[in-house]
mmCIF file of all heavy atoms in Angstrom:
data_model
loop_
_atom_site.group_PDB
_atom_site.id
_atom_site.type_symbol
_atom_site.label_atom_id
_atom_site.label_comp_id
_atom_site.label_asym_id
_atom_site.label_seq_id
_atom_site.Cartn_x
_atom_site.Cartn_y
_atom_site.Cartn_z
ATOM 1 N N PRO K 138 0.936 -6.311 21.087
ATOM 2 C CA PRO K 138 0.188 -5.199 21.708
ATOM 3 C C PRO K 138 -1.290 -5.203 21.342
ATOM 4 O O PRO K 138 -2.135 -4.805 22.162
ATOM 5 C CB PRO K 138 0.903 -3.950 21.179
ATOM 6 C CG PRO K 138 2.286 -4.417 20.839
ATOM 7 C CD PRO K 138 2.104 -5.803 20.325
ATOM 8 N N VAL K 141 -2.913 -7.658 23.685
ATOM 9 C CA VAL K 141 -3.012 -7.094 25.030
ATOM 10 C C VAL K 141 -4.138 -6.071 25.104
ATOM 11 O O VAL K 141 -4.811 -5.924 26.139
ATOM 12 C CB VAL K 141 -1.665 -6.465 25.444
ATOM 13 C CG1 VAL K 141 -1.776 -5.760 26.792
ATOM 14 C CG2 VAL K 141 -0.575 -7.530 25.500
ATOM 15 N N SER K 142 -4.379 -5.346 24.006
ATOM 16 C CA SER K 142 -5.396 -4.291 24.015
ATOM 17 C C SER K 142 -6.797 -4.819 24.266
ATOM 18 O O SER K 142 -7.705 -4.045 24.589
ATOM 19 C CB SER K 142 -5.367 -3.524 22.692
ATOM 20 O OG SER K 142 -5.939 -4.293 21.630
ATOM 21 N N LEU K 143 -7.005 -6.131 24.109
ATOM 22 C CA LEU K 143 -8.323 -6.704 24.381
ATOM 23 C C LEU K 143 -8.703 -6.575 25.851
ATOM 24 O O LEU K 143 -9.884 -6.658 26.204
ATOM 25 C CB LEU K 143 -8.343 -8.181 23.976
ATOM 26 C CG LEU K 143 -8.259 -8.492 22.477
ATOM 27 C CD1 LEU K 143 -8.115 -9.986 22.259
ATOM 28 C CD2 LEU K 143 -9.494 -7.964 21.741
ATOM 29 N N PHE K 144 -7.716 -6.356 26.702
ATOM 30 C CA PHE K 144 -7.952 -6.351 28.142
ATOM 31 C C PHE K 144 -7.876 -4.947 28.749
ATOM 32 O O PHE K 144 -7.888 -4.805 29.975
ATOM 33 C CB PHE K 144 -6.944 -7.269 28.839
ATOM 34 C CG PHE K 144 -6.929 -8.660 28.268
ATOM 35 C CD1 PHE K 144 -5.952 -9.028 27.359
ATOM 36 C CD2 PHE K 144 -7.901 -9.575 28.611
ATOM 37 C CE1 PHE K 144 -5.929 -10.305 26.814
ATOM 38 C CE2 PHE K 144 -7.893 -10.853 28.075
ATOM 39 C CZ PHE K 144 -6.912 -11.220 27.177
ATOM 40 N N VAL K 145 -7.786 -3.913 27.902
ATOM 41 C CA VAL K 145 -7.739 -2.538 28.404
ATOM 42 C C VAL K 145 -8.779 -1.705 27.659
ATOM 43 O O VAL K 145 -9.308 -2.109 26.622
ATOM 44 C CB VAL K 145 -6.337 -1.916 28.225
ATOM 45 C CG1 VAL K 145 -5.292 -2.730 28.961
ATOM 46 C CG2 VAL K 145 -5.980 -1.811 26.747
ATOM 47 N N ASP K 146 -9.063 -0.550 28.192
ATOM 48 C CA ASP K 146 -10.047 0.355 27.601
ATOM 49 C C ASP K 146 -9.339 1.487 26.859
ATOM 50 O O ASP K 146 -8.138 1.707 26.999
ATOM 51 C CB ASP K 146 -10.955 0.937 28.686
ATOM 52 C CG ASP K 146 -11.780 -0.143 29.380
ATOM 53 O OD1 ASP K 146 -12.189 -1.098 28.694
ATOM 54 O OD2 ASP K 146 -11.995 -0.025 30.606
ATOM 55 N N ALA K 147 -10.141 2.223 26.090
ATOM 56 C CA ALA K 147 -9.626 3.416 25.424
ATOM 57 C C ALA K 147 -9.340 4.478 26.492
ATOM 58 O O ALA K 147 -10.016 4.511 27.532
ATOM 59 C CB ALA K 147 -10.647 3.921 24.416
ATOM 60 N N PRO K 148 -8.352 5.354 26.293
ATOM 61 C CA PRO K 148 -7.523 5.506 25.087
ATOM 62 C C PRO K 148 -6.259 4.642 25.074
ATOM 63 O O PRO K 148 -5.552 4.632 24.077
ATOM 64 C CB PRO K 148 -7.152 6.989 25.117
ATOM 65 C CG PRO K 148 -7.053 7.293 26.582
ATOM 66 C CD PRO K 148 -8.112 6.465 27.251
ATOM 67 N N LEU K 149 -5.978 3.921 26.175
ATOM 68 C CA LEU K 149 -4.774 3.082 26.194
ATOM 69 C C LEU K 149 -4.814 2.039 25.097
ATOM 70 O O LEU K 149 -3.779 1.683 24.528
ATOM 71 C CB LEU K 149 -4.640 2.400 27.562
ATOM 72 C CG LEU K 149 -3.435 1.464 27.750
ATOM 73 C CD1 LEU K 149 -2.126 2.194 27.481
ATOM 74 C CD2 LEU K 149 -3.453 0.843 29.140
ATOM 75 N N ARG K 150 -6.002 1.582 24.757
ATOM 76 C CA ARG K 150 -6.145 0.595 23.691
ATOM 77 C C ARG K 150 -5.546 1.114 22.377
ATOM 78 O O ARG K 150 -4.829 0.398 21.677
ATOM 79 C CB ARG K 150 -7.626 0.278 23.504
ATOM 80 C CG ARG K 150 -7.949 -0.596 22.307
ATOM 81 C CD ARG K 150 -9.441 -0.614 22.072
ATOM 82 N NE ARG K 150 -10.139 -1.116 23.254
ATOM 83 C CZ ARG K 150 -11.411 -0.860 23.516
ATOM 84 N NH1 ARG K 150 -12.109 -0.073 22.709
ATOM 85 N NH2 ARG K 150 -11.980 -1.365 24.593
ATOM 86 N N TYR K 151 -5.827 2.376 22.072
ATOM 87 C CA TYR K 151 -5.340 2.925 20.804
ATOM 88 C C TYR K 151 -3.817 3.089 20.822
ATOM 89 O O TYR K 151 -3.159 2.920 19.789
ATOM 90 C CB TYR K 151 -6.016 4.274 20.523
ATOM 91 C CG TYR K 151 -7.521 4.204 20.573
ATOM 92 C CD1 TYR K 151 -8.267 5.203 21.203
ATOM 93 C CD2 TYR K 151 -8.205 3.136 20.002
ATOM 94 C CE1 TYR K 151 -9.647 5.147 21.258
ATOM 95 C CE2 TYR K 151 -9.593 3.075 20.057
ATOM 96 C CZ TYR K 151 -10.304 4.071 20.689
ATOM 97 O OH TYR K 151 -11.667 3.997 20.741
ATOM 98 N N TRP K 152 -3.261 3.428 21.977
ATOM 99 C CA TRP K 152 -1.807 3.536 22.068
ATOM 100 C C TRP K 152 -1.147 2.177 21.864
ATOM 101 O O TRP K 152 -0.069 2.079 21.257
ATOM 102 C CB TRP K 152 -1.412 4.122 23.413
ATOM 103 C CG TRP K 152 -1.680 5.594 23.525
ATOM 104 C CD1 TRP K 152 -2.693 6.185 24.231
ATOM 105 C CD2 TRP K 152 -0.955 6.658 22.906
ATOM 106 N NE1 TRP K 152 -2.641 7.555 24.079
ATOM 107 C CE2 TRP K 152 -1.573 7.878 23.280
ATOM 108 C CE3 TRP K 152 0.164 6.695 22.076
ATOM 109 C CZ2 TRP K 152 -1.109 9.110 22.851
ATOM 110 C CZ3 TRP K 152 0.635 7.935 21.645
ATOM 111 C CH2 TRP K 152 -0.005 9.117 22.032
ATOM 112 N N LEU K 153 -1.773 1.121 22.340
ATOM 113 C CA LEU K 153 -1.238 -0.225 22.117
ATOM 114 C C LEU K 153 -1.308 -0.597 20.642
ATOM 115 O O LEU K 153 -0.395 -1.237 20.104
ATOM 116 C CB LEU K 153 -2.005 -1.242 22.964
ATOM 117 C CG LEU K 153 -1.708 -1.210 24.469
ATOM 118 C CD1 LEU K 153 -2.689 -2.096 25.224
ATOM 119 C CD2 LEU K 153 -0.273 -1.660 24.742
ATOM 120 N N TRP K 154 -2.388 -0.214 19.978
ATOM 121 C CA TRP K 154 -2.469 -0.467 18.539
ATOM 122 C C TRP K 154 -1.341 0.255 17.805
ATOM 123 O O TRP K 154 -0.688 -0.325 16.922
ATOM 124 C CB TRP K 154 -3.815 0.010 18.003
ATOM 125 C CG TRP K 154 -4.999 -0.742 18.511
ATOM 126 C CD1 TRP K 154 -4.985 -1.835 19.347
ATOM 127 C CD2 TRP K 154 -6.374 -0.459 18.252
ATOM 128 N NE1 TRP K 154 -6.262 -2.239 19.604
ATOM 129 C CE2 TRP K 154 -7.139 -1.427 18.958
ATOM 130 C CE3 TRP K 154 -7.032 0.501 17.507
ATOM 131 C CZ2 TRP K 154 -8.535 -1.442 18.913
ATOM 132 C CZ3 TRP K 154 -8.430 0.493 17.466
ATOM 133 C CH2 TRP K 154 -9.167 -0.466 18.163
ATOM 134 N N ALA K 155 -1.120 1.514 18.174
ATOM 135 C CA ALA K 155 -0.048 2.281 17.533
ATOM 136 C C ALA K 155 1.325 1.646 17.811
ATOM 137 O O ALA K 155 2.190 1.608 16.926
ATOM 138 C CB ALA K 155 -0.064 3.727 18.013
ATOM 139 N N LEU K 156 1.510 1.135 19.021
ATOM 140 C CA LEU K 156 2.768 0.465 19.350
ATOM 141 C C LEU K 156 2.972 -0.769 18.477
ATOM 142 O O LEU K 156 4.086 -1.027 17.996
ATOM 143 C CB LEU K 156 2.771 0.077 20.828
ATOM 144 C CG LEU K 156 3.970 -0.759 21.311
ATOM 145 C CD1 LEU K 156 5.272 0.010 21.123
ATOM 146 C CD2 LEU K 156 3.786 -1.170 22.764
#
Side-chain angles (χ1 to χ4, degrees):
V141 175
S142 74
L143 291 173
F144 306 99
V145 301
D146 297 324
L149 179 57
R150 172 191 301 158
Y151 306 137
W152 286 105
L153 287 171
W154 294 357
L156 174 61

